Structures are given as C-alpha cells and as structure tokens.
Amino acid sequence: MSGRLEIDDLHVRFGRAHILQGVSLTLGNKPLSLVGRNGMGKSTLCHAIMGMVGTHSGQIRLDDQDLVGLNPNRVARKGIALVPQGRRMFPSLSVHEHLTLVARKGDVPWTIERVYETFPRLAERRRNGGNQLSGGEQQMLAISRALLMNPRIVIMDEPSEGLAPVIVDHLVETLKQIAAEGMGVFLVEQNMRVATAVSDTVAVMVTGRIATTMASQALMDDAEAQRRYLGVSHGH
Amino acid sequence: MSLQYALTVTLNGLTLAALYFIVASGFSLIFGLMRTVNMAHGSLYLIGAYVGFAVFDPLYMNDATYSYAWYIAILAGIAAAAIVGIVMQVAFLGWMQGQELRQALVTIGISIIVADQLLANFGGSPFQFFAPDILFGPMEIPFVGRYSTFRVFQIGVAVAVGVGLWLLLNKTRLGIMVRAGVDDRQMLAACGINVPLIAVFVFGLGAALAGFGGVIGATAQPTQLGIDVKFLLTSLVVVIVGGMGSIPGTAIGAILIGVTEQWGQALLPTYSVILTFVIMVAVLAVRPQGIMGRPD
C-alpha cells in the first residue's frame, strides 16, 4: 500500500549555498521520476525527505503526517526507504547481514526468502562482504535492503549509475514490478531512458527548483526540452 | 634461569594480560568501534572498584552474607560503571560525536572530578577484595608449582569476556547494527535504526567492562587512587597495538603488553616502563592500523 508524499515549497541551504529553492512535488499511486543534470539538488532532495539533511523551510508530508525535523530512523519507520546514490553498502557486513539488519518480523510482503528468490545472485553470494560485490550485485542488495523495510514509498537515487546496459534493463524491470505491486516509487535519475521507462510522468529539476513536470513520452519526443533541461542531444 | 622461573614470569604476564584485556576490550568498543574519545575509561575502572568495595565490605564482615559478598560486589561494580558511562554518553559525549578534542577535554575533566570525589568519599588508603573461598589461595600447576588460583581464574574470565563479545558482535542482530554504525551511521539511521540508542548501549557495555575489570583487578592486587591513569594508558596502547575495534586484536595486544611488562620487570627492571611504548612505536612503524586493524 503506497502513501501520498507531498512536498511543498521546500528550501534547503548549506551555509550560503541555497540548494533547494522551493521544491513542490506530489507522489501518489503512480511512480514518479525526477531528472536533471548533476548538481541541481536531486540528491539533496532525497536526503531532505529522509531527514538526513536539515531543511530551512517548507513542508514534507506523508499522508498528512509532517516529516520535517524527524530523524532518519523515524522517517524510515513512517514508511520511506532510501536506495542511496553510490549504494552505500556496509563494508563490515555480509550480504546476509545486510538483509537481517532491516528484515521485519510478521506478515509482510518482503522477506529475506523472497529477496533470495527474486535475486538468486544474492543468495549465491550471501556470505560475501558488502564491498566484494559487483556494481550490479551491490545495487540489487541496496534495493533489497530498502524493500525489506516494507516501506510505502521507496526513493531511488541514481540506481542505474555505473551499471552495464544489460543490468540496467534488469533494473528497469525490477522497478516496474515493485511499482506494479503498489509500492510508491520515487526515482531520481540522470539516465532519461531509465526514468521514462519506469514512470509515465517526469519532473525536471533545474538549480533547486522543479522547472516542469511532463509526460515521459512528451519529454522523449522533445529534443529541445532534453537539450535545455538535461544537456543531452541526439546529434552525438 | 630455571624453567620454573620462566614459566612463572610468563604466567604472571598472561594473568596481567587477562586483566588488561577485560578493561581494554571495553575501551576497544568505545574508542575503537564508536570512535568516542574517552579519557575517563580509567575512572570507570576505579568507580567499579570503589563502589564494588563499598558494597563488599559490610557484606563480607557479616557472617551470614560473607560467602556471596564478592559476587554482589561484581554486580555492583559493573552496574555503577555502566550507569556512570551511560550518563556520560547521554549528557555529554553523544551530542559531540566526531569532535575528538572536545570529547577528550570533557572526559579528562570528568576523570579529575571522579578522582577527587572518590578521594573525598572513600579516602586514599589502598584496599583489596577477598576472593570467594573457591578462588582463594594457591593451586598446584605442573612445572610452576603453587600459583594464585584467582589469577588463573582471571584468564578464564578474560576468555569468557572475549568469546562473549565476539559472539555479540558477530552473531546477533545488535552486533550487526553496531558494525553497520561504525561503517555509516547516517545510512544505518536511514535503515530505521535508532543510532544514538545503539551508541548508548555500546558505551554502557564498554563502561561495564571497565567496572568489571575494576573489581577483578582489585581482587588480584591492592588498588588505590591513581591507578586509573595506568589503566587508561594501557588500554590505549593495547587497542592501538591490537587494532582499533578488533576483539581478537585487543586480545593479541593485551597478551603482548602484559607478557612484555612482566618479562621486562624480570630482566630489565630499570627500563621495563618504556618497553610497552617501544612495542607501540614498532607496531605503528610497520603496521599503522595495528596488528588486526583494518586500514582506513
């Protein structure tokens, strides 16, 4: 069961740098992707939602519960899980320990057994350390770590970064499947192809603001918008 | 030099190492794992010894209770040190996480206050616990002859503490949380885990081990004020030599330092004080992360 995440006029400053300059977004039942160039504040937004950075003003609500000012562990308990940029494995823990760390008891959709069924590669490597895995395996583990918290919303920060194309295709299928089961998916991507494949709607971030929200297909078809917002052109 | 002499000196070294291990394993949790600078670790040792003795003395003087006075003293010493440690973490050290200089200064301040308070309330005379009857007196050891039963028991206690800590850190979910927190506190919090609470638990456990060591150490030999500095310094050396946060490393470091100290006193009494630092310098020169430490 997904929740409704509403962000309203959110500002974040680091010292004199004004990173988020009034972000407003709503994530409902359907997956939403956020695209934008490097340094536009996408990761800061993820961290602000999780309570990992302090906010200056604005609101973050999950089903009308205020999340601003909560510690990350409280935000996580409210039902938001993060797959962070760079994956942030725990080098001291084995694959299996990563999973037992977050697994919840009781009647929940995601269990360790189901993770191993979904990602057989992780079962094979269950005794390996978190940083002995390939990039793709680490990403599977980072996603599993989030899924095992059985969140209502999962935030993925640049999950396709550094992965081989064939692994990225597998990732897209996994994300679609997660969303189809009713979990809220907020996908932050630089890879427009991944973003538009996972969600029907794409928000575009430019220097700390949401510049526009448009249909994925419309962004795919609009070379001028791609060049302007993402700096990509199909010429080369 | 006779075989008996060599074995006795070595055994003295190992039993001293056992005491060092109990105290330094607590320091290893606090400083090695949580990276909290705690210059009051020796004070926690003293608090364990003094509070334990305050509980022990009246019980021991009473015929009805003397047989279990020592066990109660152990519990009292552990509880007192753990409570003081938890208060230190909650009131001061928790919110200055990562600020090493500030933590060092605050804990040095606490150690001065604790030393003066102990002097004011308990006086400056040395004291010693009487071990329970089953551990009291000498026992026969092949090739060594008569040797203090309690000091042999100390080795058993250290092994039990080491195995217990290893199991806690490697085989329990709590241990997984502790290790994950060492790697990435913020990410651990984002996994829904209350990291400050884990830190309080670890600090309390480390302090409890210091208090436990205090009662054990004050049973093996007379204890008085001032010994806190020695145990703080030894714990630092043991943890640095063995490797930050590694329980097997702490055991190796404790054995190396304990045995060296005893052999140093036997062979080079004048220079024995500096031998442990020679070992520390040598280890740091060859392996800066310590014998079992992970490179940063």
Side-chain angles (χ1 to χ4, degrees):
Chain A
M1 180 201 67
S2 75
R4 183 180 176 83
L5 181 69
E6 282 178 282
I7 299 165
D8 188 26
D9 196 25
L10 188 70
H11 290 258
V12 170
R13 297 168 194 268
F14 293 150
R16 292 170 64 186
H18 198 172
I19 308 292
L20 297 187
Q21 307 177 2
V23 172
S24 298
L25 266 182
T26 302
L27 174 68
N29 290 328
K30 290 191 157 181
L32 176 68
S33 295
L34 178 67
V35 298
R37 288 183 226 172
N38 254 335
M40 292 291 152
K42 303 192 299 299
S43 287
T44 302
L45 176 60
C46 297
H47 290 161
I49 297 170
M50 280 313 289
M52 293 159 87
V53 300
T55 59
H56 186 256
S57 64
Q59 290 189 307
I60 307 169
R61 282 189 304 269
L62 177 65
D63 290 341
D64 296 324
Q65 294 182 82
D66 200 355
L67 300 184
V68 170
L70 295 185
N71 287 327
N73 56 311
R74 299 278 313 282
V75 176
R77 295 269 161 189
K78 298 259 185 220
I80 301 185
L82 173 69
V83 179
Q85 185 172 24
R87 307 185 252 280
R88 289 173 77 166
M89 300 286 97
F90 299 114
S92 306
L93 306 190
S94 69
V95 167
H96 192 68
E97 285 173 335
H98 274 85
L99 303 179
T100 47
L101 178 70
V102 285
R104 301 282 160 83
K105 290 198 175 65
D107 187 21
V108 287
W110 282 94
T111 60
I112 294 180
E113 292 73 34
R114 186 168 169 209
V115 163
Y116 283 149
E117 278 168 30
T118 312
F119 303 110
R121 191 81 188 115
L122 291 182
E124 288 167 26
R125 310 214 60 177
R126 66 201 300 270
R127 291 188 183 286
N128 284 87
N131 52 0
Q132 294 174 313
L133 305 178
S134 72
E137 289 164 348
Q138 283 191 10
Q139 196 61 66
M140 286 179 208
L141 183 54
I143 291 172
S144 303
R145 182 173 63 184
L147 292 178
L148 278 174
M149 293 164 68
N150 289 288
R152 292 196 283 167
I153 291 172
V154 60
I155 300 173
M156 312 235 183
D157 193 359
E158 308 268 1
S160 76
E161 191 182 36
L163 299 186
V166 56
I167 309 284
V168 172
D169 292 341
H170 181 65
L171 176 76
V172 168
E173 286 314 308
T174 307
L175 298 189
K176 282 180 166 172
Q177 197 187 330
I178 292 168
E181 283 183 28
M183 199 181 279
V185 172
F186 182 53
L187 174 66
V188 172
E189 262 299 342
Q190 286 208 63
N191 184 332
M192 188 188 61
R193 194 173 62 80
V194 173
T196 52
V198 171
S199 67
D200 294 334
T201 314
V202 190
V204 183
M205 194 169 211
V206 178
T207 52
R209 289 194 185 89
I210 303 299
T212 180
T213 301
M214 58 202 294
S216 295
Q217 195 57 49
L219 180 63
M220 290 292 270
D221 294 341
D222 188 344
E224 165 59 20
Q226 289 172 25
R227 192 194 55 72
R228 185 154 28 107
Y229 295 133
L230 303 169
V232 290
S233 64
H234 287 293
H236 46 98
Chain B
M1 185 193 301
S2 69
L3 176 67
Q4 188 199 8
Y5 181 72
L7 285 175
T8 305
V9 172
T10 306
L11 199 52
N12 283 344
L14 289 175
T15 56
L16 185 63
L19 177 59
Y20 286 168
F21 174 76
I22 295 167
V23 180
S25 62
F27 193 70
S28 186
L29 291 177
I30 293 170
F31 178 58
L33 275 180
M34 305 307 282
R35 298 290 155 116
T36 300
V37 179
N38 177 23
M39 292 294 152
H41 197 66
S43 308
L44 295 167
Y45 176 94
L46 274 188
I47 286 170
Y50 272 85
V51 173
F53 196 73
V55 170
F56 172 83
D57 208 31
L59 289 174
Y60 191 77
M61 293 304 160
N62 184 334
D63 281 349
T65 53
Y66 98 100
S67 56
Y68 53 83
W70 188 78
Y71 303 100
I72 306 243
I74 288 276
L75 294 179
I78 289 175
I83 289 168
V84 173
I86 286 170
V87 170
M88 275 169 62
Q89 171 70 17
V90 171
F92 303 107
L93 300 173
W95 55 267
M96 43 182 92
Q97 177 67 35
Q99 303 175 46
E100 280 102 356
L101 181 61
R102 188 176 270 189
Q103 288 181 334
L105 292 174
V106 165
T107 49
I108 288 171
I110 291 172
S111 71
I112 293 170
I113 293 167
V114 166
D116 275 358
Q117 285 301 317
L118 291 176
L119 182 64
N121 289 298
F122 296 103
S125 336
F127 61 92
Q128 186 169 13
F129 292 87
F130 294 98
D133 291 345
I134 191 170
L135 301 171
F136 198 82
M139 65 187 285
E140 276 298 321
I141 294 180
F143 304 110
V144 174
R146 287 156 65 83
Y147 195 82
S148 159
T149 309
F150 186 80
R151 300 200 67 171
V152 175
F153 167 73
Q154 230 168 269
I155 297 179
V157 170
V159 170
V161 165
V163 171
L165 279 180
W166 189 87
L167 288 175
L168 176 76
L169 286 174
N170 291 290
K171 297 291 168 195
T172 68
R173 186 158 177 266
L174 188 64
I176 294 174
M177 289 179 195
V178 171
R179 284 183 289 137
V182 173
D183 289 339
D184 189 338
R185 294 172 82 95
Q186 198 187 40
M187 194 58 223
L188 182 65
C191 288
I193 285 145
N194 187 339
V195 181
L197 196 63
I198 304 283
V200 167
F201 170 80
V202 173
F203 202 97
L205 180 62
L209 284 166
F212 183 47
V215 180
I216 297 279
T219 310
Q221 54 196 323
T223 290
Q224 58 188 325
L225 290 172
I227 207 167
D228 52 334
V229 180
K230 177 182 165 48
F231 275 95
L232 170 63
L233 214 54
T234 305
S235 297
L236 257 171
V237 173
V238 163
V239 168
I240 290 170
V241 166
M244 302 269 276
S246 160
I247 297 299
T250 306
I252 292 170
I255 291 171
L256 208 55
I257 299 301
V259 171
T260 307
E261 261 185 30
Q262 290 298 311
W263 272 104
Q265 277 172 18
L267 300 178
L268 301 161
T270 315
Y271 301 105
S272 67
V273 188
I274 61 163
L275 277 181
T276 52
F277 295 100
V278 171
I279 289 180
M280 187 168 89
V281 169
V283 168
L284 286 178
V286 179
R287 217 178 139 74
Q289 71 270 37
I291 292 169
M292 299 290 280
R294 247 186 3 195
D296 273 336

